[in-house]
Amino acid sequence: MEHLGFTQHDHHSCINSALNTAEEFCAREKLQFTPVRRRVLEILLERHQAMGAYDILEMLREEGLGSQPPVAYRALDFLVQHGFVHKIERLNAFAACMHPGEQHMPAFLICRKCDQVVEAHMEAVKNMLGKAVRDVGFEIEQAVVEIMGLCPNCKAQA
Amino acid sequence: MEHLGFTQHDHHSCINSALNTAEEFCAREKLQFTPVRRRVLEILLERHQAMGAYDILEMLREEGLGSQPPVAYRALDFLVQHGFVHKIERLNAFAACMHPGEQHMPAFLICRKCDQVVEAHMEAVKNMLGKAVRDVGFEIEQAVVEIMGLCPNCKAQA
DNA sequence: GCTTGATAGGTTATACTATAACCTATAGCA
DNA sequence: TGCTATAGGTTATAGTATAACCTATCAAGC
């Protein structure tokens, strides 16, 4: 597992880097990285937390970028579809991808106390899932791995 | 991976066996295996498919066992809490557990075409997840592994 | 047997999550 | 310039889940 994130890091540069990656990707693929889409990604990057669509919508509304649910959902759909954002099914929420551009199967560690979400690369698990499932003829198109529990920080406090 | 289920099996006996297991477990643990709870589990066992809470509620309603959402949700909560039913987050739906009574971390194979859900034991994955995550101090309480794709049958048809 | 406390279920209302459908605006291209 | 495809605005509504409060039932102890 790489890139665990329950620790401090240069958040400002991590946001910019992710935004740049998205921008370049869209330019290359002739996709429109519109203000709403950019802002939604930015909002999610500003926190390392999963946010509900309606929380995001509330921020968009305050900023005059849109006020009705479809605005937020459409931007989120776009971002999810192109791998900049993941949906956390367990929380009905969304979180910015920490490894945009890289082919990966994300696994999420979700702290039930502080709600922080960390995205881990788990190549070994991916390989194992892929192998086991291919053996029985099931063809994987997408996988969701979500692990609930207590993060180190919250565990220390308890 | 054991117990894959995209094949035929003795469905009638598998239903009875699961109901008996639940009944015995509840007796042992002094839990009430009430008519509504039993019937909800039975409904889920009758199909090897995930069902939405409102689909289940509709059946309960037809049978005079309850007509409002909380009835279904309460029964489902009970069944999930004690491991007789799993929630499939990805589908906002519920499926009977295929290994009740056994300590396990389920992984679901969900066919996007026929909606069939198969629950697999994947001890190797569980061990690997557990190890990787423990290394960084995260304490696993629960995990969701859901794999979307095409089952062998649907793949053959395509 | 009666009381009491705990648990389950009935019912109403409402919160939260997501999408359909239709219309307007804009950007890129012929 | 005009066409077409894509994005966003807006209204309405579908789908999922729970809060809150009340009643019924059951088991345990008096």
Side-chain angles (χ1 to χ4, degrees):
Chain A
M1 188 185 309
E2 313 100 40
H3 299 111
L4 266 167
F6 288 117
T7 50
Q8 300 299 331
H9 66 292
D10 182 343
H11 198 45
H12 190 263
S13 88
C14 110
I15 292 176
N16 282 333
S17 149
L19 284 175
N20 287 340
T21 301
E23 188 146 25
E24 284 158 21
F25 177 89
C26 288
R28 212 162 44 238
E29 302 287 324
K30 303 203 186 306
L31 301 168
Q32 300 183 41
F33 196 47
T34 64
V36 175
R37 290 170 178 177
R38 165 183 277 273
R39 185 62 188 130
V40 169
L41 178 55
E42 205 174 21
I43 287 170
L44 286 171
L45 285 164
E46 280 166 4
R47 339 193 169 188
H48 277 308
Q49 256 183 305
M51 294 181 71
Y54 280 75
D55 297 328
I56 293 167
L57 179 60
E58 178 57 30
M59 298 192 64
L60 294 179
R61 182 177 287 141
E62 286 169 6
E63 300 172 14
L65 273 171
S67 62
Q68 299 303 323
V71 174
Y73 279 104
R74 287 199 282 237
L76 287 166
D77 283 349
F78 173 88
L79 294 168
V80 167
Q81 192 168 349
H82 296 100
F84 304 123
V85 165
H86 297 294
K87 177 164 191 194
I88 314 291
E89 298 288 345
R90 177 59 195 247
L91 304 177
N92 292 320
F94 301 83
C97 176
M98 292 295 102
H99 311 94
E102 305 168 35
Q103 186 63 27
H104 66 294
M105 189 194 79
F108 299 99
L109 305 182
I110 307 166
C111 180
R112 68 162 154 80
K113 197 165 170 200
C114 70
D115 259 5
Q116 194 171 143
V117 172
V118 163
E119 178 184 350
H121 268 198
M122 301 182 86
E123 288 308 315
V125 172
K126 176 182 179 175
N127 294 338
M128 191 165 270
L129 281 180
K131 181 175 177 314
V133 167
R134 230 177 292 118
D135 283 351
V136 303
F138 191 94
E139 187 175 318
I140 294 187
E141 292 173 348
Q142 206 197 5
V144 171
V145 177
E146 298 175 358
I147 302 172
M148 310 289 299
L150 270 187
C151 76
N153 300 337
C154 289
K155 198 160 73 175
Q157 282 173 27
Chain B
M1 190 186 308
E2 312 101 40
H3 300 111
L4 268 164
F6 289 116
T7 50
Q8 300 299 331
H9 67 291
D10 183 343
H11 197 46
H12 190 264
S13 89
C14 111
I15 293 177
N16 282 332
S17 150
L19 284 174
N20 286 339
T21 301
E23 187 146 26
E24 285 158 19
F25 177 90
C26 288
R28 212 162 45 239
E29 301 287 323
K30 302 204 186 306
L31 301 168
Q32 299 184 41
F33 197 46
T34 64
V36 175
R37 290 169 177 178
R38 165 184 277 272
R39 185 60 189 132
V40 169
L41 178 55
E42 204 174 22
I43 287 170
L44 285 171
L45 285 164
E46 280 166 4
R47 339 191 169 189
H48 277 308
Q49 256 183 306
M51 294 181 72
Y54 281 74
D55 296 328
I56 293 167
L57 178 59
E58 178 57 30
M59 298 193 64
L60 294 179
R61 183 177 288 140
E62 285 168 7
E63 299 171 14
L65 273 170
S67 61
Q68 300 303 323
V71 173
Y73 279 103
R74 281 179 195 138
L76 286 167
D77 284 349
F78 173 89
L79 294 168
V80 167
Q81 192 168 349
H82 295 100
F84 303 124
V85 164
H86 297 294
K87 177 164 191 194
I88 314 292
E89 299 288 346
R90 177 60 194 249
L91 304 177
N92 293 320
F94 301 83
C97 176
M98 292 296 102
H99 311 94
E102 304 167 36
Q103 187 63 28
H104 65 296
M105 189 195 79
F108 299 98
L109 305 182
I110 307 167
C111 179
R112 70 163 153 79
K113 196 165 169 200
C114 71
D115 260 6
Q116 195 172 141
V117 173
V118 163
E119 178 185 349
H121 268 200
M122 300 182 87
E123 287 308 315
V125 172
K126 175 183 180 177
N127 294 338
M128 191 165 270
L129 281 180
K131 179 174 179 314
V133 167
R134 230 177 291 118
D135 284 351
V136 303
F138 191 95
E139 186 175 318
I140 294 186
E141 292 173 348
Q142 205 195 6
V144 171
V145 177
E146 297 176 359
I147 302 172
M148 310 289 299
L150 269 187
C151 75
N153 300 337
C154 289
K155 197 159 73 175
Q157 282 174 28

